Amino acid sequence: MANDPIHQFQISKILPLEVGGYDISFTNSALFMVATVGLASAFLILTTSGRGLIPTRLQSISEMCYEFVAGLLRDSAGSEGMKFFPLVFSLFVFILVANLFGMFPYFFTVASHIVITAALALLVIGTVVVYGFWKNGLGFLKLFVPSGVPGVLIPLIVLIEVMSFISRPISLSVRLFANLLAGHITLKVFAGFIVTLSGLGIGGVLASILPLAFTVALTALEFLVAFLQAYVFAILTCMYLNDAIHPSH
Amino acid sequence: MAASNSGAEGAVEQGASGVFPPFDPTYFTSQLLWLAITFGLFYYLMSKVALPRISAILETRSDRIAQDLDEANQLKDESDAALAAYEQELAEAKAKAHGIAQEARDSAKAELDAKRASVEAELADKIAGAEASIASIKAKAMGEVGSIAEETTAALVSQIISGKVTKADIASAVSAARR
């Protein structure tokens, strides 16, 4: 079933493992997580090993990544937020590299599974909640009570704020997951049209130029989405961390 | 154990055939575990190795740039000071040269004036000498003119009246006429 657009999200066992009744097999998903971490770590560590005062090309890529994420975090959460820099940087690079790996044909897209994106989103929200209460105590609850709201409206506003806070991990995980899932399915469907049409003879081959063009355009779009979703995830993480650091808005 | 194993196998087959893979819970545990392992390792490597290293590189560079800028400013100040000193020295040298030239001009002028004055005095002496000799010659000539006139007068008078007229008369007459 080469034409099945869902097949690419199928998880397959590479090394079956089971501990205490839990299936913890090393799967293709795990393989690409390892590849993502391996490539990203190797790149960031090896390119900076020269510690060049004048950076080489590859070293300046690592530096640009660092400065990009550092700028993102500093702009939204201030210099106090810099203690979360390793977390935001790891999330951004992990998602970005995993998404870019997913752009290779036959490669597995790690973040196209909701359990992965949900885990990352819960990691962010968990950090926000734990740090928020640890640093501000109950003052963290001021997050739900914006200042300058008339007394009558407070219950309503608090309800809305709580709902919006609860929806954060959901939107954070679903946004990343759905974007990648939909993008990859669309890409596969259009690519499948080419194969199907080409099977119909010379007219079909000519007609398949259209889905081919779409596939090319969608590939470019998917590269953009791969970067953009990593960026969106990182910047939302920064903004949520800012809430934990400065809860009264 | 065996039962749960076979159950998992059954779920795998079911997952492979029916359930939409991203929502298939069969591999949730495995995915979460491997995500925790890989992301945890990544976080550790980033926070302990890569990020401190890049931060150190950037810090070293900005320190170095600041240091270089300081050094450049210092060198600029030094060169400014050197330029000022040079200009001052130049002005001093110019003033000195001007003084020397003025002095030379003044001394030359004084020498010239002295020479001119001596030459003029010499000339005036010579003129005075010449004038004196002219005056003496003139006076001598005038005296001679008187005696010639007396002799001529005596000769003329003796020719005209053929008599003797005293020399004193003639001299008084001549001097009266010459007056």
Side-chain angles (χ1 to χ4, degrees):
Chain A
M1 197 63 176
N3 239 346
D4 177 12
I6 305 301
H7 180 76
Q8 58 179 324
F9 305 111
Q10 193 66 55
I11 287 180
S12 54
K13 284 182 194 180
I14 294 171
L15 188 70
L17 282 175
E18 194 174 312
V19 173
Y22 292 106
D23 184 2
I24 53 158
S25 306
F26 190 80
T27 60
N28 52 351
S29 170
L31 174 68
F32 279 98
M33 287 190 235
V34 170
T36 297
V37 167
L39 182 80
S41 308
F43 184 87
L44 287 164
I45 290 170
L46 294 180
T47 56
T48 54
S49 62
R51 291 182 172 82
L53 193 63
I54 298 155
T56 59
R57 278 181 212 153
L58 295 178
Q59 187 187 325
S60 58
I61 292 175
S62 294
E63 287 173 10
M64 271 161 60
C65 284
Y66 180 99
E67 285 179 330
F68 178 73
V69 181
L72 217 62
L73 184 55
R74 204 177 287 118
D75 286 349
S76 17
S79 53
E80 262 183 277
M82 290 313 278
K83 61 169 74 75
F84 294 108
F85 180 56
L87 176 67
V88 179
F89 186 84
S90 305
L91 282 169
F92 174 73
V93 174
F94 184 82
I95 296 170
L96 177 66
V97 176
N99 289 355
L100 291 177
F101 258 123
M103 288 309 295
F104 286 94
Y106 298 105
F107 278 25
F108 185 81
T109 314
V110 172
S112 66
H113 278 242
I114 186 117
V115 63
I116 300 290
T117 61
L120 293 176
L122 284 173
L123 174 67
V124 171
I125 298 299
T127 308
V128 167
V129 171
V130 170
Y131 183 77
F133 277 116
W134 179 74
K135 180 166 179 280
N136 307 294
L138 289 176
F140 180 59
L141 294 174
K142 271 192 278 180
L143 177 66
F144 303 117
V145 190
S147 56
V149 173
V152 194
L153 283 177
I154 282 184
L156 184 63
I157 296 292
V158 166
L159 188 68
I160 293 172
E161 290 283 341
V162 169
M163 297 262 283
S164 105
F165 190 83
I166 290 170
S167 67
R168 277 175 182 183
I170 301 168
S171 70
L172 197 57
S173 54
V174 169
R175 183 183 300 108
L176 176 59
F177 151 74
N179 264 287
L180 293 175
L181 186 80
H184 281 73
I185 291 176
T186 319
L187 204 53
K188 189 68 186 261
V189 165
F190 274 102
F193 282 162
I194 305 174
V195 179
T196 316
L197 283 171
S198 304
L200 297 177
I202 189 76
V205 170
L206 286 176
S208 71
I209 290 172
L210 201 63
L212 177 65
F214 266 113
T215 308
V216 171
L218 276 172
T219 306
L221 181 71
E222 282 309 298
F223 271 107
L224 178 71
V225 168
F227 170 78
L228 205 64
Q229 288 306 318
Y231 173 75
V232 166
F233 200 97
I235 199 155
L236 285 173
T237 302
C238 294
M239 289 165 74
Y240 297 162
L241 287 169
N242 183 42
D243 283 344
I245 299 162
H246 315 104
S248 44
H249 41 165
Chain B
M1 187 72 184
S4 74
N5 193 5
S6 70
E9 289 297 314
V12 171
E13 259 134 48
Q14 195 185 31
S17 57
V19 189
F20 186 50
F23 295 134
D24 178 6
T26 316
Y27 293 104
F28 277 7
T29 321
S30 149
Q31 275 176 299
L32 286 174
L33 179 76
W34 285 104
L35 176 69
I37 293 170
T38 53
F39 189 77
L41 178 71
F42 189 57
Y43 180 86
Y44 177 81
L45 285 174
M46 289 303 104
S47 61
K48 294 291 173 216
V49 184
L51 297 179
R53 187 187 285 177
I54 298 174
S55 148
I57 291 171
L58 295 176
E59 214 158 276
T60 312
R61 185 173 309 145
S62 70
D63 282 359
R64 177 66 188 272
I65 288 168
Q67 193 188 319
D68 284 1
L69 281 178
D70 279 359
E71 206 171 294
N73 273 333
Q74 199 183 315
L75 288 174
K76 188 178 172 289
D77 287 352
E78 270 173 29
S79 78
D80 281 355
L83 187 69
Y86 162 76
E87 269 172 1
Q88 197 185 330
E89 244 164 60
L90 191 68
E92 270 172 21
K94 264 186 186 166
K96 219 183 213 176
H98 192 74
I100 290 170
Q102 191 62 44
E103 209 172 277
R105 212 177 293 133
D106 285 354
S107 74
K109 204 179 166 195
E111 207 174 299
L112 200 64
D113 283 355
K115 258 188 190 161
R116 192 191 291 144
S118 76
V119 167
E120 273 173 0
E122 212 173 283
L123 283 175
D125 272 2
K126 275 186 181 163
I127 288 168
E131 270 173 359
S133 75
I134 287 167
S136 75
I137 289 165
K138 201 179 167 186
K140 205 175 157 194
M142 278 309 183
E144 275 168 14
V145 164
S147 66
I148 288 165
E150 279 165 20
E151 278 166 26
T152 315
T153 309
L156 281 173
V157 169
S158 64
Q159 284 286 315
I160 294 162
I161 60 173
S162 63
K164 280 271 186 197
V165 181
T166 63
K167 239 185 171 174
D169 284 344
I170 288 163
S172 70
V174 166
S175 68
R178 274 178 69 193
R179 215 152 271 150

